[in-house]
Amino acid sequence: MLRDSGIPDSLQVRYIGLDTPHHLPELPGVYNIAPTGIPGLHNVKFGSPVALSERAVQAEIRASVRRLGEAGTLPATPPSSPPSPATRRSS
């Protein structure tokens, strides 16, 4: 989950690979950001062929959102606070 990222609540972003088989995104990395219906909260899908620490995943999610903003994919208005990956732990 991604909280207070500055991404519009109705925007979905799907990552693709331009030079990869079947246009699948390169991993490790984010491959989908989708609205949840809750203002300021997006569902993020992240994949990796190897185990990564929670901190490494969060850093990559933040970097991906930053790159989207720099590329002009997201609105130019920065969020009021840095994107915050919300983590969920299974019991």
Side-chain angles (χ1 to χ4, degrees):
M1 304 303 280
L2 186 64
R3 187 177 321 137
D4 300 325
S5 65
I7 298 172
D9 291 334
S10 62
L11 183 67
Q12 178 168 359
V13 179
R14 292 186 181 166
Y15 287 72
I16 61 169
L18 295 177
D19 299 322
T20 60
H22 309 289
H23 300 290
L24 296 173
E26 293 184 21
L27 300 179
V30 173
Y31 58 89
N32 192 40
I33 300 174
T36 63
I38 300 169
L41 192 65
H42 283 79
N43 186 338
V44 178
K45 299 296 184 194
F46 184 94
S48 177
V50 297
L52 297 174
S53 71
E54 186 174 311
R55 180 172 279 173
V57 171
Q58 289 177 356
E60 182 55 36
I61 291 170
R62 285 188 193 98
S64 291
V65 171
R66 185 175 55 251
R67 286 190 299 269
L68 287 171
E70 291 169 354
T73 304
L74 298 178
T77 305
S80 57
S81 61
S84 171
T87 57
R88 231 182 347 181
R89 296 191 186 273
S90 56
S91 311

